[in-house]
Amino acid sequence: LSQAGHTPLSFRDGEVEVLRHLGWRLRAIPPLHIIGYFLAKGTIFQDDTWQNRPLIEKIPKYVKKYADFFCNLTLQEYSFQEYLPSVLAAAILMASRVALQLEPRWRPELVRLTSYEESDIIDVFTHVWSYYEEQFPGHGHRSISPRGVNGDIVPHL
């Protein structure tokens, strides 16, 4: 690179220019951190149902597994970068509830927690769910067992 006229100082100048272009915003909060906050505040409710039955004790653990899975899945596809992390996190929360067949899929308590109505996140949820179905054909259309979710196994694109 020195033959092309680049010096450490020219690289620094280029980095400074990029930072100016980005408005000096160096930190991004990924959806995974926002999901962690949502889960800590509570995303399962006494009158939720699971596959048309009362909830079982392990449901919060299953929601976390699905949320981690969907966060990892969306990290692998650049098109999800267009969404605000909080919107994507809310859509991932909805996808986790849908994957577990929790009803209702979105609640007033979740609106208060996330600040998003279902109508605010439905397009992002649809993108997440469509991408999931594309990567795992047949999984989105059938009953999904929480045992089938393993945060360590995520397809590589």
Side-chain angles (χ1 to χ4, degrees), residues 6-7 12 49 78 114 138-139 148:
H6 291 288
T7 66
R12 191 196 68 178
T49 61
Y78 183 76
T114 66
H139 282 250

Side-chain angles (χ1 to χ4, degrees), residues 33-76:
H33 292 171
I34 298 168
I35 283 286
Y37 171 79
F38 292 161
L39 294 173
K41 292 294 187 179
T43 59
I44 306 301
F45 304 93
Q46 187 84 25
D47 58 341
D48 279 344
T49 61
W50 174 57
Q51 300 176 344
N52 296 315
R53 298 185 300 247
L55 297 179
I56 61 173
E57 188 177 317
K58 293 183 178 183
I59 290 294
K61 179 180 171 184
Y62 296 156
V63 171
K64 181 180 180 346
K65 282 186 175 191
Y66 271 109
D68 289 347
F69 169 78
F70 283 118
C71 282
N72 286 322
L73 186 67
T74 59
L75 276 174
Q76 297 176 42

Side-chain angles (χ1 to χ4, degrees), residues 17-26:
E17 184 60 34
V18 168
L19 290 172
R20 276 193 199 115
H21 179 72
L22 295 174
W24 296 89
R25 289 174 285 152
L26 300 176

Side-chain angles (χ1 to χ4, degrees), residues 66-103:
Y66 271 109
D68 289 347
F69 169 78
F70 283 118
C71 282
N72 286 322
L73 186 67
T74 59
L75 276 174
Q76 297 176 42
E77 172 54 44
Y78 183 76
S79 64
F80 290 103
Q81 297 302 309
E82 72 181 275
Y83 305 118
L84 288 172
S86 60
V87 173
L88 184 54
I92 286 170
L93 178 56
M94 181 186 286
S96 301
R97 290 179 61 90
V98 168
L100 277 167
Q101 299 176 15
L102 291 175
E103 290 291 334

Side-chain angles (χ1 to χ4, degrees), residues 140-153:
H141 295 296
R142 62 180 173 83
S143 174
I144 302 167
S145 166
R147 282 175 264 160
V149 175
N150 181 343
D152 297 332
I153 301 173

